[in-house]
Amino acid sequence: MGTEELQSLSDISQYNGLTRERIEYILQRISTLKVGVIGDGCLDMYWQADMILSELSRETPHYNLPAVVERFAPGAAGNVAVNFKSLGASEVSFCSVAGPDWRGALLKEALTTRGIDDSFVIFEAGRVTPAYCKVIMQGIQGVRQEAPRIDFINREPLSEAAQQRVVAQLDLMAQKVDVISVTDQLTHGVMGAALRERLQYWSSKGKKVIVDSRDRIGSYSGVVLKPNELEAIRWYHGSVKQLQPTEAEILKAGLQLSRNSGAPCCITVGEKGAVWFEDGQATLVPTMPVPPPIDIVGAGDSFTAAFLSAWGAGCEGPEAAAFAHLAAAVSVGKVGETGTASPQEIMSRWDKVR
């Protein structure tokens, strides 16, 4: 059957060759890996409000939200960097743009306290440090509910001059790392045409680069792409309305995306696993289901970090994806937090499902 006639994931070959010995080898190699992360760094803020303490305001007909716990962590590309540290990478460097505001200071603090090199982060006047602020209300018997999120966002694209300053930082970072992970998440974020072109240059020089992009996955060339199924289908159809793609559409999208970029592509397909596209061929890398309760927040970041780590350690695409499934499975099992996976947790996951 020709690649253009593929109708379902059952029509393509499967990879099931990962072994415990290979996982141990990959983890050992990761411990020597130097990683660079570039893209949209955000600050994730969490305020836990104890509603038992809430009082009716004297000025408005509303009850207040008494915050009793406050915590913050790197989000978006920052969370990808945290995942690399959790996997045991020897060095993790972070390149992004922050605003000269209190959130930018907290983001840098959140990075450095986790052992991430933030020296490639630049502060740009007129920019806002993106942040996702979440209020979790807790009531009687510990019942919890999340209030509408408060977001800090930029409403204009990064200037050309600022783009060039980020390109210069990328060049400095690329010279000291083995692999580069890219997170292109925000509408008016860090990743523009100049950076995309420079990433292609570094890939042509042998640097291993992987890109995770929410809305611009088709704008990158010469680098490995890692969209999920919806991101790939939205690119393929040029529309955000295609929400239930068929397996045949996913396969067509992946093959076309790989051809367009001139590089391999890895599409994650939820509980079915991932599909690796290379040289006009598609390979299904299945995964094992994770029993509930689960929390998928951050699972894509864990997959990306583990995939690039394994790929940087010398694995072929399908083997790297199989390893990444283990990290993602650990991550989704951590309810109520943006999960990561440590080497010990990955080994435990393998032993549990095999």
Side-chain angles (χ1 to χ4, degrees):
M1 180 179 294
T3 55
E4 299 301 330
E5 302 173 8
L6 297 173
Q7 295 299 310
S8 72
L9 298 181
S10 61
D11 292 333
I12 61 177
S13 62
Q14 283 194 22
Y15 174 84
N16 293 289
L18 189 65
T19 65
R20 196 178 201 281
E21 291 72 25
R22 284 294 293 173
I23 296 170
E24 292 174 340
Y25 170 80
I26 293 167
L27 290 170
Q28 190 280 323
R29 290 292 303 275
I30 290 174
S31 69
T32 68
L33 199 65
K34 297 179 181 179
V35 179
V37 179
I38 185 170
D40 297 323
C42 297
L43 182 71
D44 284 345
M45 299 203 69
Y46 302 88
W47 293 304
Q48 182 178 319
D50 188 348
M51 299 309 295
I52 297 173
L53 304 176
S54 181
E55 298 178 346
L56 182 63
S57 169
R58 295 186 180 185
E59 295 82 11
T60 66
H62 298 290
Y63 283 85
N64 65 350
L65 304 175
V68 295
V69 175
E70 178 183 46
R71 60 186 177 90
F72 56 93
N79 185 56
V80 177
V82 172
N83 270 272
F84 280 111
K85 286 299 292 185
S86 296
L87 285 167
S90 65
E91 295 180 17
V92 181
S93 300
F94 188 69
C95 179
S96 188
V97 178
D101 47 42
W102 59 269
R103 295 175 305 283
L106 286 179
L107 176 58
K108 285 179 70 71
E109 179 184 340
L111 292 166
T112 56
T113 57
R114 290 164 173 80
I116 298 166
D117 177 9
D118 68 342
S119 62
F120 303 103
V121 177
I122 64 172
F123 286 95
E124 193 69 25
R127 295 292 289 182
V128 168
T129 303
Y132 299 139
C133 307
K134 307 173 185 181
V135 179
I136 295 90
M137 299 179 292
Q138 181 171 315
I140 297 173
Q141 296 182 334
V143 175
R144 292 189 175 191
Q145 181 176 325
E146 189 170 319
R149 200 176 67 194
I150 301 170
D151 290 356
F152 291 86
I153 61 172
N154 288 287
R155 294 177 290 175
E156 299 290 338
L158 199 61
S159 70
E160 288 298 322
Q163 275 274 316
Q164 292 303 319
R165 284 190 281 274
V166 183
V167 168
Q169 294 298 94
L170 168 62
D171 286 346
L172 292 173
M173 184 178 74
Q175 294 172 39
K176 64 169 289 189
V177 301
D178 304 311
V179 297
I180 301 173
S181 176
V182 182
T183 298
D184 182 3
Q185 179 171 318
L186 303 177
T187 301
H188 298 302
V190 173
M191 304 307 301
L195 278 168
R196 291 194 292 268
E197 182 178 336
R198 200 60 179 167
L199 287 164
Q200 184 177 1
Y201 164 81
W202 280 109
S203 179
S204 72
K205 295 299 182 182
K207 200 73 65 175
K208 293 188 174 182
V209 181
I210 188 169
V211 174
D212 193 345
S213 177
R214 182 166 292 179
D215 298 313
R216 291 175 286 267
I217 195 67
S219 298
Y220 291 83
S221 297
V223 296
V224 171
L225 306 178
K226 197 243 75 174
N228 62 33
E229 59 201 277
L230 293 182
E231 291 161 349
I233 287 297
R234 287 170 181 171
W235 167 81
Y236 185 68
H237 288 291
S239 170
V240 299
K241 296 181 180 180
Q242 186 77 13
L243 298 179
Q244 293 183 318
T246 65
E247 292 183 358
E249 287 176 311
I250 293 170
L251 292 170
K252 290 177 182 177
L255 289 167
Q256 187 62 46
L257 192 55
S258 179
R259 279 196 293 264
N260 279 23
S261 66
C265 171
C266 182
I267 298 180
T268 54
V269 287
E271 62 185 14
K272 298 175 184 177
V275 185
W276 176 255
F277 300 89
E278 185 174 12
D279 296 331
Q281 301 297 317
T283 303
L284 175 65
V285 185
T287 188
M288 298 291 289
V290 180
I294 63 172
D295 187 341
I296 64 171
V297 176
D301 296 341
S302 297
F303 184 96
T304 297
F307 177 91
L308 182 55
S309 294
W311 190 39
C315 296
E316 296 295 326
E319 185 178 45
F323 177 81
H325 283 324
L326 296 172
V330 171
S331 179
V332 300
K334 296 181 178 181
V335 179
E337 61 180 293
T338 304
T340 60
S342 68
Q344 295 77 17
E345 289 171 327
I346 287 174
M347 294 305 308
S348 295
R349 169 66 182 173
W350 173 264
D351 291 338
K352 184 176 182 179
V353 298
R354 297 295 170 176

